[in-house]
Amino acid sequence: MSTRRKLHMRNIIKKALKASRSRKDSSYALAHHARSRMQIIVVLCISVCMLFMICKTAVAEAIDQQNQQNQQSQQQKRVAVIIDDLGNNMKGTEEILNLPVKITVAVMPFLPTTKQDAMEAHKRGHDVIVHLPMEPKQGKPEWLGPGAIKANMTDEEVRAKVTAAIKDVPYAIGMNNHMGSKVTSDKRIMSVVLDVCKEYGLFFVDSRTNYWSVVPELAAKKGMPPVRNDVFLDDVHTLAHVNRQLSKVVEWLAEHDTCVTIGHVGVSGMYTSSGLHSSVPKLKEHAQFVGISDLVRDVWGWTGDPATNTTMPSDAQ
């Protein structure tokens, strides 16, 4: 090996030894340890930040998904408000018709404002049904009104009365009972009533004035919607009671997808209309307002098509 190469190798060895001694030096070790700790801290900080961002995104997505599910659930829930006793210019009629949501008006036949109320309700986008008077177990005969169905009638008499009532209420798409605690428990009479309704494309809503009503059972057997009232709004004539009943509607909707609730014009008309007007925003948070026709179509698949010449006034055809 040449002298020059030897010197070169010696220098390399010296540098290597010097570097080795430097690594053993405490200050180098401390510096190296400090850098290692700093690197670990930085990595941990970055990891924590990334984990936080991932968790935050996951939580946000979960909240959005829950909100969407809640909105969908609320949209699926529906409330159908039926207001009985229109047709006689009763107190609260105009206020009810002015509600900012879709409702259903039950119009009594053969009364002074029967056609006027039905046509005005239809014009404003509300559903119209026949509010057919039926004999109760108790009550004054004059409360029934004209064209009432009574328990002592023959099948032919019942058929004639129901047909005439349908033809007297413009735009009617369904029917419910006015009073009727006696007749709605009579299978013979109610079978005839439902048969006529079905022939004209109308469904029947059981107002549930009688716990022993046979209407839902008969309707189901005849392929008709077994729809019935769930909550009476104004069986006591005070605003406080109406508001309590509206709270029961909310409670009902917490357990069910639909609610049919019935109120009235007349003695309780102003209380009912006032309570509904003030409760609409709250009820909208829980369900969508629909006409009773929307409910029977979407829930029970009702496809009845009321004959035009029996439900439209002659001057509207």
Side-chain angles (χ1 to χ4, degrees), residues 156-168:
E156 291 72 20
E157 289 174 323
V158 172
R159 174 173 285 275
K161 291 277 189 181
V162 176
T163 301
I166 291 173
K167 292 182 177 181
D168 196 61

Side-chain angles (χ1 to χ4, degrees), residues 85-194:
D85 295 347
L86 279 82
N88 202 28
N89 197 29
M90 302 287 275
K91 187 183 298 183
T93 296
E94 184 61 25
E95 288 77 9
I96 286 294
L97 292 176
N98 278 330
L99 281 168
V101 291
K102 186 174 182 178
I103 61 168
T104 300
V105 297
V107 183
M108 295 183 69
F110 316 117
L111 291 178
T113 63
T114 293
K115 290 179 171 56
Q116 175 186 329
D117 289 351
M119 293 172 67
E120 186 61 30
H122 177 78
K123 179 181 176 182
R124 300 190 191 194
H126 302 311
D127 278 355
V128 177
I129 62 176
V130 180
H131 193 42
L132 186 65
M134 293 182 171
E135 184 179 355
K137 293 179 179 179
Q138 297 177 343
K140 298 179 180 180
E142 58 266 29
W143 290 350
L144 274 173
I149 305 297
K150 297 181 180 179
N152 62 356
M153 288 181 172
T154 65
D155 291 3
E156 291 72 20
E157 289 174 323
V158 172
R159 174 173 285 275
K161 291 277 189 181
V162 176
T163 301
I166 291 173
K167 292 182 177 181
D168 196 61
V169 180
Y171 301 110
I173 56 173
M175 180 180 290
N176 74 341
N177 54 290
H178 171 63
M179 302 175 73
S181 55
K182 185 175 184 178
V183 169
T184 54
S185 61
D186 189 314
K187 284 189 175 182
R188 177 185 68 84
I189 294 179
M190 287 312 306
S191 183
V192 176
V193 172
L194 294 181

Side-chain angles (χ1 to χ4, degrees), residues 6 15 48 53 151 261 281 283 295:
K6 287 181 180 180
K15 288 180 180 179
V48 170
M53 293 297 292
T261 181
L283 285 170
L295 208 59

